[in-house]
Short mmCIF file of all heavy atoms in Angstrom, two decimals:
data_model
loop_
_atom_site.label_atom_id
_atom_site.label_comp_id
_atom_site.label_asym_id
_atom_site.label_seq_id
_atom_site.Cartn_x
_atom_site.Cartn_y
_atom_site.Cartn_z
N HIS A 320 19.64 -22.77 -48.66
CA HIS A 320 18.93 -22.18 -47.51
C HIS A 320 19.96 -21.60 -46.55
O HIS A 320 20.74 -22.33 -45.95
CB HIS A 320 18.06 -23.25 -46.85
CG HIS A 320 17.72 -22.98 -45.41
ND1 HIS A 320 17.46 -23.99 -44.52
CD2 HIS A 320 17.61 -21.83 -44.70
CE1 HIS A 320 17.21 -23.48 -43.32
NE2 HIS A 320 17.29 -22.17 -43.42
N LEU A 321 19.95 -20.28 -46.41
CA LEU A 321 20.88 -19.60 -45.51
C LEU A 321 20.23 -19.39 -44.15
O LEU A 321 19.13 -18.82 -44.05
CB LEU A 321 21.29 -18.25 -46.09
CG LEU A 321 22.00 -18.29 -47.45
CD1 LEU A 321 22.24 -16.88 -47.96
CD2 LEU A 321 23.31 -19.06 -47.36
N LEU A 322 20.88 -19.86 -43.09
CA LEU A 322 20.39 -19.60 -41.75
C LEU A 322 20.27 -18.09 -41.53
O LEU A 322 20.80 -17.30 -42.32
CB LEU A 322 21.30 -20.25 -40.71
CG LEU A 322 20.88 -21.66 -40.28
CD1 LEU A 322 21.03 -22.65 -41.41
CD2 LEU A 322 21.66 -22.12 -39.06
N PRO A 323 19.57 -17.65 -40.46
CA PRO A 323 19.18 -16.24 -40.34
C PRO A 323 20.28 -15.25 -40.72
O PRO A 323 21.41 -15.34 -40.25
CB PRO A 323 18.80 -16.13 -38.87
CG PRO A 323 18.20 -17.47 -38.57
CD PRO A 323 19.07 -18.44 -39.32
N SER A 324 19.88 -14.31 -41.58
CA SER A 324 20.82 -13.32 -42.10
C SER A 324 20.30 -11.89 -41.93
O SER A 324 20.92 -10.95 -42.40
CB SER A 324 21.11 -13.59 -43.58
OG SER A 324 19.91 -13.71 -44.32
N PHE A 325 19.16 -11.74 -41.25
CA PHE A 325 18.66 -10.42 -40.86
C PHE A 325 19.40 -9.96 -39.60
O PHE A 325 20.22 -10.70 -39.05
CB PHE A 325 17.15 -10.50 -40.60
CG PHE A 325 16.77 -11.63 -39.69
CD1 PHE A 325 16.95 -11.55 -38.32
CD2 PHE A 325 16.27 -12.82 -40.21
CE1 PHE A 325 16.65 -12.60 -37.48
CE2 PHE A 325 15.95 -13.89 -39.38
CZ PHE A 325 16.14 -13.77 -38.01
N GLN A 326 19.08 -8.76 -39.11
CA GLN A 326 19.76 -8.25 -37.92
C GLN A 326 19.29 -9.01 -36.67
O GLN A 326 18.15 -8.89 -36.25
CB GLN A 326 19.49 -6.75 -37.74
CG GLN A 326 20.23 -6.11 -36.56
CD GLN A 326 21.74 -6.13 -36.72
OE1 GLN A 326 22.25 -6.24 -37.82
NE2 GLN A 326 22.45 -5.99 -35.61
N PHE A 327 20.20 -9.81 -36.12
CA PHE A 327 19.86 -10.59 -34.92
C PHE A 327 20.81 -10.24 -33.77
O PHE A 327 21.88 -9.67 -33.97
CB PHE A 327 19.87 -12.10 -35.21
CG PHE A 327 21.19 -12.66 -35.70
CD1 PHE A 327 22.22 -12.96 -34.82
CD2 PHE A 327 21.38 -12.94 -37.05
CE1 PHE A 327 23.42 -13.50 -35.27
CE2 PHE A 327 22.57 -13.48 -37.52
CZ PHE A 327 23.60 -13.76 -36.62
N GLY A 328 20.39 -10.60 -32.56
CA GLY A 328 21.20 -10.34 -31.37
C GLY A 328 22.10 -11.53 -31.05
O GLY A 328 21.94 -12.62 -31.58
N GLY A 329 23.04 -11.31 -30.14
CA GLY A 329 23.91 -12.38 -29.68
C GLY A 329 25.28 -12.40 -30.31
O GLY A 329 26.16 -13.13 -29.85
N VAL A 330 25.50 -11.62 -31.39
CA VAL A 330 26.81 -11.48 -32.01
C VAL A 330 27.07 -9.99 -32.23
O VAL A 330 26.27 -9.31 -32.88
CB VAL A 330 26.92 -12.22 -33.36
CG1 VAL A 330 28.25 -11.90 -34.04
CG2 VAL A 330 26.79 -13.73 -33.15
N ASP A 331 28.16 -9.50 -31.69
CA ASP A 331 28.53 -8.10 -31.85
C ASP A 331 28.83 -7.82 -33.32
O ASP A 331 29.56 -8.57 -33.97
CB ASP A 331 29.76 -7.79 -30.99
CG ASP A 331 29.96 -6.30 -30.75
OD1 ASP A 331 29.87 -5.53 -31.72
OD2 ASP A 331 30.22 -5.92 -29.59
N ASP A 332 28.25 -6.75 -33.86
CA ASP A 332 28.52 -6.38 -35.25
C ASP A 332 29.94 -5.85 -35.46
O ASP A 332 30.43 -5.81 -36.59
CB ASP A 332 27.53 -5.31 -35.72
CG ASP A 332 26.14 -5.88 -36.00
OD1 ASP A 332 26.00 -7.11 -36.05
OD2 ASP A 332 25.20 -5.08 -36.19
N ILE A 333 30.57 -5.42 -34.37
CA ILE A 333 31.92 -4.83 -34.47
C ILE A 333 32.94 -5.94 -34.23
O ILE A 333 33.10 -6.45 -33.12
CB ILE A 333 32.09 -3.69 -33.45
CG1 ILE A 333 31.03 -2.61 -33.72
CG2 ILE A 333 33.49 -3.09 -33.52
CD1 ILE A 333 30.98 -1.52 -32.65
N LYS A 334 33.65 -6.30 -35.29
CA LYS A 334 34.53 -7.47 -35.23
C LYS A 334 35.65 -7.32 -34.22
O LYS A 334 36.12 -8.31 -33.64
CB LYS A 334 35.09 -7.75 -36.63
CG LYS A 334 34.03 -8.15 -37.66
CD LYS A 334 34.62 -8.34 -39.03
CE LYS A 334 33.59 -8.83 -40.04
NZ LYS A 334 32.45 -7.91 -40.22
#
Side-chain angles (χ1 to χ4, degrees):
H320 157 208
L321 300 175
L322 267 68
S324 52
F325 50 78
Q326 183 65 21
F327 60 80
V330 173
D331 198 313
D332 285 348
I333 301 172
K334 295 177 176 60

